[in-house]
Amino acid sequence: MSDAEENPLGETEEDGETEMEEEEDPNYYAEVESMQQEPNEDDTVAWRDSQEEGEEKERKEEPVREETVDRAGAAQEEVAAEVQEETTVKPQDVTETVVSLKRLTLTDPQSVMSETSPKTHGGGESKHSLLSELSSSLSSQLELLDLELPSSKEQPMSSPESQSSGELGDDTDHVPQDELGQERRDLEPEKGETRQEKRVSYLTEEKKEGQPEADIPKDSLVSTTTEDILFQKAESASVCPLTMTWSFGWNSSLPVYYIRDANQRVLLYASAHTAVIYDVFKNSQHHLQGHPNVISCFCISEDRRWIATADKGPNCLIIIWDSFTGIPVHTMFDSCPEGNGIRAIAISRDAKYLATISDAEIQKVSIWRWTLAVETPACTLDLPKEYGFQNYLTFNPTNNKELVSNSKTQAIYYLWYEEGDILTHSAPLLTEKTFNKLVGKFSQSVFHLNLTQMLSATMEGKLVVWDVDRPPPSAPTSVGLPYIRPCKLVHLQKESITVLTTVDSYIVTGDAKGHIKFYDHTLSIIHWYSHFKLSSIRSLSFSKTPATPPTENSNYPPDCTLKGDPFVIRNLVIGTSDATVYHLTTDGTKLEKLLVEPKDAICAISCHPYQPLIAIGSFCGMIKVWDYERKKYLFSRVFEKGLGVQSLTYNPEGALLGAGFTEGTVYILDAMSLENQIPEPFKYSTTSVTHISFSHDSQYMATADVSFTVAVYKVKVKRGQRVWEYLARLRSHRKSIRSLLFGVHLDSSEPRLLSLGRDRLLIEYSLLKSYRDHLEVLDIHRTDQGSYPTFMIWYPPLIKERFLLISNSSYKVKLFNSTTKMCRKTLLGPVYGSPIEQIQILPVKTTVELQKRYLVFINTDKVGLQILPIDGNPHKTSAIICHPNGVAGLALAYDGHYAFTAGGPDRSVLQWEINLSALEAAVSLGGEDLTPFYALVSGGREGKFYRELEDYFYYSQLRSQGINTMETRKVSEHICLSELPFVMRAIGFYPSEEKIEDMFNEIRFSEYVDTGEIIDKINLPDFLKIYLNHRPPFGNTMRNIQKSFDILGYTNSKGEKVIQREDFLKLLLTKGEHMTEEEMSDCFASLLGLNPEGWKSEPAASSVKGSEVCYEEELPDEITAEIFATEILGFTISPDSRQDPTVSEVVRNV
């Protein structure tokens, strides 16, 4: 018996609970002890053995391969017989253990045979015969081992070189906008196709004597790597327009793991949707990218080789990575189809099994045989709601069939019967009456070192000890199920226990006070670290290498025993709640800070205008400045509690840093020391300061806050010194301010200030006419009609005319003349799931680069790149997911080489390297002239839609010349501008009068700056571009119609939003672009089929005059959105299961 078994738990709570007696099954524990004494070879060692055997086999076969051509046939038969003999498996050998086939990568049977067959010089028939024999042998072998050999119709698991980049999502990083919807659907298998095509897995179980081995692909990094080469691989040139190169910050809600020691110090942690492997000594990161959502949990195997990551959100994934190479070896696509992702994950000590708990209302526990590349879990168990939300899970280190999980109120023990794939559980309810004491909420649970008990830590500083009663190993499931029962409650300490784990022969706790304590198997304290003054412990990860025995030069601290022996323990990495990571060297008790990052949301980032510096501000009050080229932290400042950094901006000279805070304070700081440059901060707002902007000469600074107010500050010279003073503020908007922008007047060097709000107002202020407490408004202009603006920026001077670029919520980008505020162009912007949120023009340093400009944008969760000038070409844009939970900020390096995105609640800032040549290549592949635009219409250039457009276009020429004219027809390639709205409506686009006026202005003044001429006609190619850029990007949807009825209507007795007939007619006559009575009557006559020829569309007389329409007979008393769309407008609604119902194009009830 071990010490843990000879000394059962004998300590009770100090307050004196009654101790329950424990019963032990000596036969069972003897068996467990013998199992522990069996050597458990490492996968890597076993693989080396197989490699050596393979090399010996190759040396034995070499003479056979060198036979002459005359003896080739005999040599082939001899080799085939030899291989057939080697691949024969005795049944008794198979039944001893689950076979593993040493890193076998299943591929097409022919390719498998070509890898395993010896090289011969015989004819095709002999080779085919040999392949057939090998195929038959391997098939029977796999059947004997209970492994399925994939059929010829299936592509099993792709070889590792197909994903050698190490990033699962690189293939879908940049796609044209019109293909974006296919981006995720491509991950789904087509009908009749097995998902195993998309699986990659490597079987890594132990090898028994006499077990066959399969040839290992020589070009597989995962199979051939026996040590860490992650940071030794040469960096390859990126083929993506945007490549993540660094991650600032980490998710301190998740653990940090110590995965390499000795000569390296390598950590593993999560940052947004990426797992980061960080080499501290080399200051280098490797990113495990592939998740579409933020990583919710992850774990690592005992040998630190295999990493399992899982996310939470739509299309959630579980990915297993090889930490030696950074390659994803297996992906589970449908891990939680009915839930919202994975809440907890654990991997067994031997790395054969993976266990997960879903993040759903009804949580599901699943166990996966991931090494077999299976598509479904081996067993699942639905947990009742009464058990609470299970958020922690771990395996028994000595038995990979046992697990324990806990919620705040319930601990659950699981036992997996592998023979029948049955997962049983025991979850006794624990109340205050159980021990007549307050237990507290559970934090984490582990299996006790004595193998007979479990421990659950609570937030009251106590440990609940559970006795585990197991049936005999040979007993069937029906005889009895295992169960646990609460044995005792041990009050260890006053502080809340936040971490509970085991290492070597110790039970380890971390608590809310930052203390780390070590106990033996009797829960007697052996040692503790309490003098470091850490914040609450979130994770403890010990080195894989055991501690070195004490010597004369060692400086281990003494333990708490009477002998005072040296306390020898492994080095460890500590993660705390304030987002700090420490490394503790136990020999000498040396504590080092490895990471100090913001613990709250990051919304403020700004790059220095001419140095490689980035300032990062967090809601926790920290401003931190990095050198992003050397990846080196420079300096920081933490403001007093309650001051959260909301916005940051460097002034154009780079000497000052403006900072806006969540409670309305504005600081002006020295850019190199973060010291105050004003005696007292400005406090003229009571709400969060969302925008800060400096004028080009740094004479003015403007801010905008959540209460829709713009404030202006000005520099004055007093006693020879520049002093910042408050000038004025104005509540100029009715909704949130989206942009605050300084510019320069065209006829002078005086600055100009503009603000853009969600209320669709573009407001310009007169700084020269403003004085103390009075901010003069120069001009107010409405930018949009139905949608709202999202961002504003100065358009680079690619042409003579000066423009303001404004994006809106309808995925459009508009160019406004900077002086007249006339909308000069409307263009289709990037369409990547959500509208643009922010835009910045990529800086250039040479005059040559001024001829080719680019912009960087962010939307809800992506960062993208676009080539200027904007013309609606979808191939000119590229985007990649950067922060699945939302992007909060964007900044660009002064030289245009990098973009930075802030993740807000995910507490990270990502650095992206910009590769312009990759984007240019995508544009060239997309085609020239109108080719990219043809792909945006149904059927393309030869489709029905485009043919109808041509017919309408040329019919419009006839119509403008008169249908019944007898004069000679003038055939032209153009139509008059007056015909444009009729053709637009004929093909299913129904622009408002304001949009029609914008189209007219866009065409009329398209050449005015260059030639001074006004255009009054348009050809078909230009018409197609105008149509594609102005039409709604997703067509006419019922959502928009229903939204209008929700605003204008009322709820009737059936619960529907309706508008009364009289109110409906009144709205058409008085609101918006209202109609006259004659126009309204003629429209209804055509729509209701009373005027088949159409309203004023032909010279022929109408059969029914508009004034003769009887609305009481033709229109219902109550009009719903559906009645309006189908019965009045004559549309058909095609419901779509993935999106809102879409109104089909031009289906009239005529």
Side-chain angles (χ1 to χ4, degrees), residues 6-288:
E6 291 175 356
N7 297 287
L9 247 166
E11 187 174 325
T12 61
E13 186 173 0
E14 296 173 1
D15 296 332
E17 290 88 26
T18 304
E19 178 178 348
M20 301 182 184
E21 293 295 324
E22 305 174 17
E23 295 183 3
E24 299 183 354
D25 184 351
N27 297 327
Y28 176 77
Y29 293 115
E31 183 173 350
V32 173
E33 186 178 13
S34 64
M35 290 172 59
Q36 288 182 318
Q37 293 173 356
E38 291 181 5
N40 183 13
E41 286 188 333
D42 184 273
D43 290 337
T44 304
V45 177
W47 179 84
R48 282 180 186 161
D49 295 342
S50 66
Q51 277 290 82
E52 294 173 0
E53 293 174 13
E55 291 175 1
E56 291 178 3
K57 192 183 303 178
E58 278 193 52
R59 287 195 293 269
K60 291 179 181 179
E61 293 176 357
E62 194 62 32
V64 179
R65 298 177 183 176
E66 295 176 355
E67 292 293 333
T68 61
V69 177
D70 296 334
R71 301 182 58 189
Q76 291 171 7
E77 295 177 1
E78 180 181 352
V79 173
E82 180 182 350
V83 175
Q84 178 72 23
E85 180 179 356
E86 288 180 355
T87 55
T88 304
V89 184
K90 296 179 182 181
Q92 57 268 28
D93 293 337
V94 179
T95 56
E96 288 178 3
T97 184
V98 179
V99 74
S100 72
L101 295 185
K102 305 313 297 177
R103 308 274 197 277
L104 176 62
T105 304
L106 296 179
T107 55
D108 185 76
Q110 292 185 358
S111 62
V112 171
M113 296 308 111
S114 64
E115 290 285 347
T116 57
S117 59
K119 298 179 181 179
T120 61
H121 303 279
E125 294 181 2
S126 300
K127 184 176 181 179
H128 178 75
S129 174
L130 178 58
L131 293 178
S132 300
E133 291 180 11
L134 284 172
S135 178
S136 173
S137 173
L138 188 56
S139 299
S140 60
Q141 172 185 331
L142 292 175
E143 290 176 2
L144 199 60
L145 301 176
D146 197 23
L147 292 175
E148 293 184 1
L149 183 67
S151 64
S152 59
K153 296 181 181 180
E154 297 176 350
Q155 298 291 336
M157 296 168 293
S158 60
S159 59
E161 57 268 22
S162 66
Q163 298 189 15
S164 59
S165 64
E167 273 112 36
L168 190 66
D170 281 353
D171 292 339
T172 58
D173 282 348
H174 59 287
V175 294
Q177 301 168 33
D178 52 332
E179 297 176 12
L180 184 68
Q182 193 69 18
E183 182 181 81
R184 288 183 177 174
R185 293 196 293 273
D186 289 343
L187 294 176
E188 300 295 331
E190 296 182 5
K191 189 174 182 180
E193 177 187 359
T194 176
R195 188 178 286 277
Q196 206 162 2
E197 291 183 8
K198 305 179 187 298
R199 299 291 197 268
V200 180
S201 184
Y202 304 90
L203 309 185
T204 58
E205 301 182 15
E206 297 177 13
K207 178 177 179 293
K208 296 287 185 178
E209 289 187 4
Q211 180 178 314
E213 63 177 63
D215 285 358
I216 302 170
K218 296 181 180 180
D219 54 354
S220 168
L221 278 177
V222 176
S223 302
T224 57
T225 302
T226 58
E227 60 183 10
D228 184 9
I229 63 168
L230 190 62
F231 296 101
Q232 301 173 13
K233 295 188 296 184
E235 294 185 3
S236 57
S238 174
V239 296
C240 304
L242 291 164
T243 304
M244 189 169 77
T245 59
W246 197 262
S247 173
F248 302 92
W250 65 290
N251 186 353
S252 56
S253 300
L254 298 179
V256 55
Y257 289 104
Y258 194 0
I259 65 174
R260 302 283 184 274
D261 46 18
N263 297 328
Q264 302 182 76
R265 186 174 293 170
V266 182
L267 310 179
L268 170 69
Y269 54 86
S271 178
H273 64 313
T274 303
V276 180
I277 300 177
Y278 174 49
D279 190 321
V280 178
F281 293 153
K282 294 182 179 179
N283 194 28
S284 179
Q285 290 183 352
H286 182 86
H287 304 113
L288 307 181

Side-chain angles (χ1 to χ4, degrees), residues 769-786:
K769 295 181 180 180
S770 299
Y771 49 89
R772 179 78 180 190
D773 294 329
H774 176 78
L775 185 59
E776 182 76 15
V777 173
L778 183 64
D779 177 57
I780 299 177
H781 183 81
R782 193 183 71 173
T783 62
D784 290 273
Q785 192 174 31

Side-chain angles (χ1 to χ4, degrees), residues 494-777:
K494 295 180 180 180
E495 298 82 12
S496 300
I497 300 175
T498 55
V499 175
L500 178 64
T501 185
T502 59
V503 59
D504 299 331
S505 59
Y506 300 106
I507 298 167
V508 190
T509 65
D511 60 37
K513 292 289 187 180
H515 303 164
I516 303 170
K517 300 179 181 180
F518 297 81
Y519 302 86
D520 64 7
H521 63 279
T522 64
L523 295 184
S524 299
I525 191 164
I526 302 299
H527 189 71
W528 69 89
Y529 296 101
S530 60
H531 59 284
F532 295 136
K533 297 182 180 180
L534 309 180
S535 61
S536 178
I537 306 295
R538 285 286 175 86
S539 66
L540 298 172
S541 181
F542 290 86
S543 168
K544 184 180 71 171
T545 305
T548 56
T551 61
E552 294 181 357
N553 298 325
S554 299
N555 189 20
Y556 287 105
D559 60 22
C560 298
T561 62
L562 294 176
K563 295 181 180 179
D565 296 329
F567 178 68
V568 181
I569 196 69
R570 307 172 188 231
N571 296 336
L572 68 150
V573 167
I574 307 164
T576 61
S577 60
D578 61 354
T580 306
V581 178
Y582 303 88
H583 180 270
L584 177 60
T585 305
T586 54
D587 188 358
T589 317
K590 301 173 185 176
L591 187 71
E592 303 171 64
K593 283 185 180 180
L594 304 182
L595 297 173
V596 182
E597 301 295 346
K599 63 180 179 180
D600 289 329
I602 299 174
C603 294
I605 55 174
S606 182
C607 286
H608 197 276
Y610 56 86
Q611 291 187 26
L613 306 179
I614 181 171
I616 300 173
S618 168
F619 281 3
C620 66
M622 175 189 288
I623 297 178
K624 195 171 183 180
V625 179
W626 288 78
D627 183 329
Y628 54 76
E629 286 187 349
R630 295 187 295 159
K631 310 298 186 296
K632 184 178 179 181
Y633 156 69
L634 299 179
F635 47 87
S636 63
R637 177 177 174 180
V638 179
F639 290 82
E640 62 188 64
K641 190 175 182 181
L643 290 179
V645 184
Q646 178 69 60
S647 53
L648 288 174
T649 303
Y650 283 99
N651 74 329
E653 286 80 18
L656 302 176
L657 178 65
F661 289 80
T662 53
E663 41 71 71
T665 304
V666 176
Y667 280 77
I668 299 179
L669 309 172
D670 181 85
M672 293 300 151
S673 65
L674 299 183
E675 296 295 331
N676 292 353
Q677 292 297 293
I678 52 178
E680 292 292 332
F682 296 118
K683 187 71 172 63
Y684 291 95
S685 175
T686 58
T687 56
S688 182
V689 178
T690 56
H691 296 79
I692 294 183
S693 182
F694 287 93
S695 62
H696 71 286
D697 54 4
S698 296
Q699 293 298 308
Y700 291 91
M701 181 183 74
T703 64
D705 59 29
V706 174
S707 59
F708 326 135
T709 302
V710 174
V712 178
Y713 307 86
K714 186 179 180 180
V715 171
K716 290 188 176 181
V717 178
K718 290 185 178 181
R719 298 176 183 176
Q721 293 185 343
R722 291 162 51 93
V723 179
W724 284 93
E725 288 187 352
Y726 163 77
L727 179 62
R729 61 195 304 264
L730 178 67
R731 194 173 191 266
S732 51
H733 291 272
R734 293 179 287 106
K735 293 185 178 180
S736 61
I737 297 174
R738 303 306 302 252
S739 292
L740 189 64
L741 188 64
F742 274 100
V744 181
H745 285 284
L746 296 178
D747 53 353
S748 68
S749 60
E750 290 296 322
R752 56 191 298 199
L753 175 64
L754 304 98
S755 65
L756 180 69
R758 203 175 187 273
D759 54 6
R760 305 181 180 90
L761 296 182
L762 171 61
I763 302 178
E764 183 170 1
Y765 307 88
S766 175
L767 296 176
L768 293 178
K769 295 181 180 180
S770 299
Y771 49 89
R772 179 78 180 190
D773 294 329
H774 176 78
L775 185 59
E776 182 76 15
V777 173

Side-chain angles (χ1 to χ4, degrees), residues 317-335:
L317 300 177
I318 299 175
I319 307 177
I320 293 90
W321 313 80
D322 175 21
S323 69
F324 286 2
T325 60
I327 295 176
V329 296
H330 186 48
T331 303
M332 303 172 190
F333 289 90
D334 295 323
S335 56

